[in-house]
Amino acid sequence: ADLVDLAAPILEALGEASGETINLAVPTPLGVEHLAQVDSSHFIGSTNWLGRRVEYSTTAVGKVFAAFGAAPPELGAAFPANVLEQVRLRGYAAAVGELEPGLAAMAAPVRGAGGETIAALSISGPDHRLTTARIAELAPVLVAGADGLSARLGYRATTQGAA
């Protein structure tokens, strides 16, 4: 409940910025579980994901959890190594038509105070709106939202350099 409460303003802001469906999801032993959602502003949009579990291997959120160590270890083998490395380098994952034809999604990791990935934020919608170009446009907004929620949870990114 605390995670959902802390995430609420960020979910709303992402919904305003994208016009698409926004979700907060967590890893479970049985798959990705969605805890909170802001609905799309469009008539055609994603379904209600709350309380639903989906497989790791078919979602952008699942790729995030696999790339950042929050998924069961055997899941990493379900993805080519270059896919997970790309997710780590970009800071977000995308899945277009993988869970269902016509559905596109992108997700970014949310880290706890210790740096572990504990959740993910996602944007999803039909692939005619959430195109490759739109995903690239929304990526910085999504990553900033996930980083903002991570900061609210006590995560502090560290960089090396002169003090």
Side-chain angles (χ1 to χ4, degrees):
D2 291 340
L3 178 60
V4 171
D5 289 343
L6 286 172
I10 294 167
L11 293 170
E12 290 292 334
L14 286 171
E16 286 287 322
S18 69
E20 302 296 349
T21 301
I22 311 300
N23 281 102
L24 172 69
V26 294
T28 74
L30 301 175
V32 173
E33 185 169 345
H34 298 85
L35 300 181
Q37 177 170 311
V38 170
D39 292 332
S40 170
S41 61
H42 302 279
F43 288 114
I44 296 175
S46 294
T47 188
N48 184 348
W49 294 94
L50 294 182
R52 295 180 70 181
R53 284 194 187 109
V54 293
E55 292 182 29
Y56 286 100
S57 61
T58 60
T59 64
V61 172
K63 288 179 188 179
V64 163
F65 290 149
F68 292 99
E74 64 275 8
L75 179 66
F79 298 104
N82 65 328
V83 169
L84 299 182
E85 183 60 26
Q86 232 179 16
V87 171
R88 286 188 285 272
L89 289 172
R90 289 188 313 207
Y92 73 95
V96 179
E98 294 177 40
L99 178 63
E100 184 173 292
L103 178 64
M106 56 192 299
V110 174
R111 293 176 175 89
E116 69 286 2
T117 298
I118 61 167
L121 292 177
S122 69
I123 300 173
S124 61
D127 62 6
H128 68 269
R129 282 197 316 263
L130 207 52
T131 62
T132 302
R134 183 74 171 136
I135 288 171
E137 179 183 317
L138 288 171
V141 177
L142 175 63
V143 170
D147 289 349
L149 180 53
S150 298
R152 294 186 86 183
L153 293 167
Y155 176 69
R156 301 291 178 253
T158 58
T159 56
Q160 290 186 332

Short mmCIF file of all heavy atoms in Angstrom, two decimals, residues 6 9-10 26 34 53 64-65 71 85 89 96 101 109 123-124 150 153:
data_model
loop_
_atom_site.label_atom_id
_atom_site.label_comp_id
_atom_site.label_asym_id
_atom_site.label_seq_id
_atom_site.Cartn_x
_atom_site.Cartn_y
_atom_site.Cartn_z
N LEU A 6 2.98 6.08 -2.69
CA LEU A 6 4.13 6.88 -3.13
C LEU A 6 4.15 7.03 -4.66
O LEU A 6 4.60 8.04 -5.18
CB LEU A 6 5.44 6.25 -2.66
CG LEU A 6 5.76 6.39 -1.18
CD1 LEU A 6 6.98 5.53 -0.83
CD2 LEU A 6 6.01 7.84 -0.82
N PRO A 9 1.25 9.94 -7.51
CA PRO A 9 1.44 11.17 -8.28
C PRO A 9 2.30 10.97 -9.53
O PRO A 9 2.10 11.64 -10.54
CB PRO A 9 2.12 12.13 -7.29
CG PRO A 9 2.53 11.32 -6.12
CD PRO A 9 1.77 10.04 -6.15
N ILE A 10 3.22 10.03 -9.48
CA ILE A 10 4.07 9.76 -10.63
C ILE A 10 3.26 9.04 -11.71
O ILE A 10 3.38 9.36 -12.90
CB ILE A 10 5.32 8.96 -10.20
CG1 ILE A 10 6.17 9.87 -9.30
CG2 ILE A 10 6.11 8.46 -11.40
CD1 ILE A 10 7.26 9.19 -8.54
N VAL A 26 5.03 -5.39 -9.86
CA VAL A 26 6.07 -6.00 -9.03
C VAL A 26 6.31 -7.43 -9.49
O VAL A 26 5.41 -8.07 -10.04
CB VAL A 26 5.70 -5.98 -7.53
CG1 VAL A 26 5.63 -4.56 -7.00
CG2 VAL A 26 4.39 -6.71 -7.27
N HIS A 34 0.36 -6.58 -11.31
CA HIS A 34 0.09 -5.14 -11.41
C HIS A 34 -0.65 -4.65 -10.17
O HIS A 34 -1.69 -5.20 -9.81
CB HIS A 34 -0.72 -4.87 -12.68
CG HIS A 34 0.04 -5.26 -13.91
ND1 HIS A 34 0.04 -6.54 -14.40
CD2 HIS A 34 0.85 -4.55 -14.71
CE1 HIS A 34 0.82 -6.59 -15.47
NE2 HIS A 34 1.32 -5.40 -15.67
N ARG A 53 -1.81 -11.29 -13.25
CA ARG A 53 -0.41 -11.69 -13.43
C ARG A 53 -0.20 -12.08 -14.88
O ARG A 53 -1.05 -12.71 -15.49
CB ARG A 53 -0.08 -12.88 -12.54
CG ARG A 53 0.09 -12.52 -11.11
CD ARG A 53 0.76 -13.65 -10.33
NE ARG A 53 0.75 -13.32 -8.93
CZ ARG A 53 0.00 -13.92 -8.03
NH1 ARG A 53 -0.79 -14.90 -8.37
NH2 ARG A 53 0.05 -13.55 -6.78
N VAL A 64 12.43 -5.90 -17.96
CA VAL A 64 13.09 -5.05 -16.96
C VAL A 64 13.49 -5.89 -15.75
O VAL A 64 14.63 -5.81 -15.28
CB VAL A 64 12.18 -3.87 -16.55
CG1 VAL A 64 12.63 -3.23 -15.24
CG2 VAL A 64 12.13 -2.84 -17.65
N PHE A 65 12.58 -6.71 -15.26
CA PHE A 65 12.89 -7.53 -14.09
C PHE A 65 14.01 -8.53 -14.39
O PHE A 65 14.87 -8.77 -13.55
CB PHE A 65 11.64 -8.24 -13.57
CG PHE A 65 10.63 -7.32 -12.94
CD1 PHE A 65 9.28 -7.61 -13.01
CD2 PHE A 65 11.01 -6.17 -12.29
CE1 PHE A 65 8.33 -6.76 -12.44
CE2 PHE A 65 10.08 -5.31 -11.71
CZ PHE A 65 8.74 -5.62 -11.78
N ALA A 71 13.78 -10.89 -11.42
CA ALA A 71 13.00 -12.05 -11.86
C ALA A 71 13.70 -13.34 -11.44
O ALA A 71 14.88 -13.32 -11.10
CB ALA A 71 12.87 -12.01 -13.39
N GLU A 85 21.04 -6.83 -22.17
CA GLU A 85 22.10 -5.81 -22.12
C GLU A 85 21.58 -4.48 -22.68
O GLU A 85 21.87 -3.42 -22.13
CB GLU A 85 23.34 -6.28 -22.89
CG GLU A 85 24.49 -5.30 -22.82
CD GLU A 85 24.99 -5.02 -21.41
OE1 GLU A 85 24.83 -5.88 -20.51
OE2 GLU A 85 25.53 -3.93 -21.19
N LEU A 89 21.45 -0.88 -20.76
CA LEU A 89 22.09 0.32 -21.31
C LEU A 89 21.12 1.47 -21.50
O LEU A 89 21.43 2.62 -21.22
CB LEU A 89 22.78 -0.01 -22.65
CG LEU A 89 24.03 -0.87 -22.55
CD1 LEU A 89 24.49 -1.28 -23.94
CD2 LEU A 89 25.14 -0.12 -21.82
N VAL A 96 6.61 -5.02 -28.22
CA VAL A 96 5.58 -4.68 -29.20
C VAL A 96 5.05 -5.98 -29.80
O VAL A 96 5.80 -6.72 -30.43
CB VAL A 96 6.13 -3.74 -30.29
CG1 VAL A 96 5.04 -3.42 -31.31
CG2 VAL A 96 6.68 -2.46 -29.67
N PRO A 101 -1.03 -9.35 -30.07
CA PRO A 101 -0.88 -8.54 -31.30
C PRO A 101 -1.56 -7.18 -31.13
O PRO A 101 -2.66 -7.08 -30.61
CB PRO A 101 -1.58 -9.38 -32.37
CG PRO A 101 -1.52 -10.78 -31.86
CD PRO A 101 -1.64 -10.66 -30.35
N PRO A 109 12.78 0.37 -14.55
CA PRO A 109 12.89 -0.17 -13.19
C PRO A 109 12.71 0.88 -12.11
O PRO A 109 13.11 2.03 -12.25
CB PRO A 109 14.31 -0.73 -13.16
CG PRO A 109 15.07 0.13 -14.12
CD PRO A 109 14.08 0.46 -15.21
N ILE A 123 4.22 1.99 -19.52
CA ILE A 123 3.27 2.71 -20.37
C ILE A 123 2.85 1.71 -21.43
O ILE A 123 3.70 1.08 -22.06
CB ILE A 123 3.92 3.94 -21.03
CG1 ILE A 123 4.42 4.93 -19.98
CG2 ILE A 123 2.94 4.61 -22.00
CD1 ILE A 123 5.23 6.09 -20.55
N SER A 124 1.55 1.54 -21.63
CA SER A 124 1.08 0.60 -22.66
C SER A 124 -0.08 1.19 -23.43
O SER A 124 -0.81 2.04 -22.94
CB SER A 124 0.70 -0.74 -22.04
OG SER A 124 -0.36 -0.58 -21.12
N SER A 150 11.95 5.91 -7.38
CA SER A 150 13.09 5.30 -6.69
C SER A 150 13.63 6.24 -5.62
O SER A 150 13.93 5.81 -4.49
CB SER A 150 14.19 4.94 -7.69
OG SER A 150 13.74 3.99 -8.63
N LEU A 153 11.62 6.32 -2.61
CA LEU A 153 11.81 5.09 -1.82
C LEU A 153 13.17 5.05 -1.13
O LEU A 153 13.49 4.07 -0.47
CB LEU A 153 11.64 3.87 -2.72
CG LEU A 153 10.24 3.65 -3.27
CD1 LEU A 153 10.24 2.62 -4.38
CD2 LEU A 153 9.29 3.25 -2.15
#
